[in-house]
C-alpha cells in the first residue's frame, strides 16, 4: 500500500509560509491525503529573519479549529521544525517541554551562526568547509535525541548547486555514517524530503544512497514529506519518496502521534 501522508507541511504560521492551515487541509483532502503534520519553523538565533515569528498559542488555536473542521476527513498532527544550533540547545529543550507535539523535526538551517540559504556563504566558504561543518552540526542534532526525525539531510545542495555543482555524498561518507549511526543510536528517524526534486539538484533530501545506508546501519524510522510552504507544493513527490523507501528495503514508513512512531506498511 502507498501511505497517503505528508509529514512536513508549513502554513502562514511559518514566516515563509504562503497558505493558511485551513487551505492546506482542504488541498490535502482534495489530494486524498489521510494524515498531515504541520511543522512550523522555530528559529532561535536573534538575528535570524524568522526569529520571533513562531506563535505557538495562535498555532494551537487554529490547529484545534481545523481539527474539528476536518474531523473524519483528515488526521492532523501537531509538529514543529526546529533549527538545531548547539548554541541554543538549552532553549530548544525548554521549547519542547510541556507541549503535546506529535512530531518534531530537527533541521540544520544555519552553521556557525550563518544561514545556509544565503548565496554569499557558498562564495566565501569552500565546499569542503561547508559540508564538513554542516555534517558536524547535524551529528550533534542526531546525538541530542531531541527529535523525531532529522530534516532534509544534505540541505546545502538546495542553495549551492549552481555554485558548487553536484557534491556526491560519498565524498563525505565518514561524516554521513557518523550522523546516521548517531540517529540509529538515539532512535531518531530521518525524512525523505521531496522538495529537492524541484530544486536544481533534482534529487530528494537526502538522495537514495543515503536512505539505503541508513537502512543498512539499522535505521527503522523513515518519514516522508513535501516541505510544502503553499498548497501548490502539498503532496509533491510522495510517490517518488515511497519508491526510494521500497528500494532501500524499508518495509514501512512512519507517522508520529505523541512523539511515538506509527509504522505504515508499504506492502
Amino acid at each position: 500500500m502507498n501511505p497517503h501522508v505528508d509529514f512536513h507541511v508549513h502554513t502562514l504560521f511559518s514566516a515563509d509560509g504562503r497558505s493558511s492551515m485551513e487551505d492546506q487541509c482542504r488541498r490535502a483532502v482534495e489530494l486524498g491525503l489521510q494524515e498531515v503534520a504541520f511543522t512550523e519553523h522555530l528559529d532561535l538565533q536573534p538575528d535570524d529573519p524568522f526569529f520571533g515569528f513562531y506563535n505557538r498559542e495562535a498555532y494551537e488555536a487554529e490547529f484545534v479549529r481545523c481539527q474539528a473542521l476536518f474531523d473524519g476527513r483528515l488526521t492532523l498532527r501537531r509538529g514543529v521544525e526546529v533549527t538545531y544550533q548547539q548554541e541554543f540547545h538549552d532553549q530548544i529543550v525548554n521549547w519542547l517541554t510541556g507541549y503535546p507535539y506529535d512530531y518534531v523535526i530537527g533541521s540544520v538551517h544555519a552553521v556557525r551562526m550563518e544561514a545556509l540559504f544565503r548565496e554569499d556563504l557558498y562564495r566565501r566558504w569552500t565546499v569542503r568547509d561547508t559540508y564538513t561543518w554542516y555534517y558536524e552540526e547535524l551529528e550533534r542534532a542526531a546525538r541530542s535525541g531531541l527529535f523525531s526525525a532529522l530534516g532534509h539531510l544534505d540541505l546545502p545542495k538546495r542553495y549551492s548547486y549552481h555554485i558548487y555543482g553536484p557534491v556526491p555524498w560519498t565524498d563525505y561518507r565518514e561524516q554521513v555514517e557518523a550522523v546516521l549511526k548517531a540517529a540509529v543510536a538515539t532512535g531518531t528517524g530521518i525524512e525523505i524530503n521531496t522538495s529537492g526534486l524541484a530544486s536544481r539538484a533534482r534529487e530528494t533530501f537526502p538522495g537514495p544512497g543515503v536512505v539505503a545506508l541508513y537502512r543498512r546501519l539499522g535505521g527503522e524510522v523513515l518519514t516522508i514529506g513535501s516541505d510544502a510552504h503553499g498548497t501548490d507544493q502539498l503532496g509533491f513527490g510522495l510517490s517518488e519518496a515511497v519508491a526510494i523507501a521500497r528500494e532501500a528495503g524499508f518495509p514501512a514508513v512512519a507517522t508520529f502521534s505523541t512523539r511515538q512512531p506509527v509504522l505504515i506498511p508499504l506492502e
Side-chain angles (χ1 to χ4, degrees):
M1 61 180 290
N2 278 342
H4 299 290
V5 302
D6 192 334
F7 253 60
H8 192 148
V9 180
H10 296 276
T11 75
L12 295 176
F13 291 104
S14 291
D16 55 354
R18 295 182 285 103
S19 297
S20 70
M21 189 178 291
E22 182 176 339
D23 284 346
Q24 290 283 40
C25 288
R26 292 194 186 283
R27 181 58 179 156
V29 172
E30 290 174 0
L31 291 171
L33 295 176
Q34 297 171 344
E35 192 170 347
V36 169
F38 289 117
T39 52
E40 312 298 353
H41 288 294
L42 171 62
D43 300 279
L44 295 171
Q45 184 174 327
D47 61 351
D48 187 288
F50 292 1
F51 178 76
F53 190 88
Y54 180 58
N55 185 328
R56 191 159 64 185
E57 290 73 21
Y59 168 94
E60 174 65 16
E62 183 64 0
F63 183 93
V64 170
R65 189 184 75 84
C66 287
Q67 196 172 43
L69 188 61
F70 292 91
D71 184 39
R73 293 184 288 165
L74 182 66
T75 297
L76 308 185
R77 299 298 184 190
R78 291 175 175 85
V80 65
E81 182 181 11
V82 178
T83 293
Y84 183 82
Q85 294 171 273
Q86 60 176 327
E87 296 87 353
F88 304 107
H89 180 96
D90 291 344
Q91 292 181 51
I92 293 169
V93 172
N94 290 337
W95 266 99
L96 297 182
T97 301
Y99 183 75
Y101 288 115
D102 290 301
Y103 179 59
V104 179
I105 303 174
S107 296
V108 174
H109 295 123
V111 172
R112 300 196 169 198
M113 304 292 278
E114 296 216 48
L116 291 174
F117 63 80
R118 292 183 50 139
E119 181 176 310
D120 68 291
L121 181 148
Y122 304 105
R123 302 192 185 282
R124 290 184 286 111
W125 291 1
T126 67
V127 62
R128 175 64 57 179
D129 285 344
T130 296
Y131 277 88
T132 296
W133 296 338
Y134 172 77
Y135 284 125
E136 286 175 350
E137 189 77 321
L138 195 59
E139 183 180 351
R140 284 189 281 268
R143 290 192 182 283
S144 76
L146 292 174
F147 306 112
S148 310
L150 300 176
H152 43 54
L153 276 73
D154 67 15
L155 177 70
K157 71 186 180 190
R158 172 184 285 168
Y159 304 109
S160 67
Y161 193 88
H162 63 301
I163 298 173
Y164 294 156
V167 179
W169 72 268
T170 50
D171 288 356
Y172 302 89
R173 178 184 288 271
E174 186 174 329
Q175 281 193 281
V176 172
E177 285 198 15
V179 170
L180 298 178
K181 286 177 179 177
V184 171
T186 56
T188 305
I190 68 170
E191 73 164 358
I192 299 178
N193 185 306
T194 62
S195 66
L197 294 170
S199 73
R200 290 184 176 95
R202 294 293 187 266
E203 185 179 56
T204 55
F205 303 129
V210 176
V211 177
L213 177 60
Y214 173 65
R215 181 62 179 166
R216 291 198 299 273
L217 292 172
E220 297 180 347
V221 180
L222 182 72
T223 65
I224 57 176
S226 66
D227 206 347
H229 286 66
T231 55
D232 57 318
Q233 298 170 326
L234 189 67
F236 172 74
L238 297 183
S239 297
E240 289 89 339
V242 169
I244 291 170
R246 284 199 175 104
E247 183 66 24
F250 281 88
V253 297
T255 62
F256 276 79
S257 177
T258 62
R259 302 292 301 276
Q260 297 301 310
V262 180
L263 298 181
I264 302 176
L266 291 178
E267 296 179 354

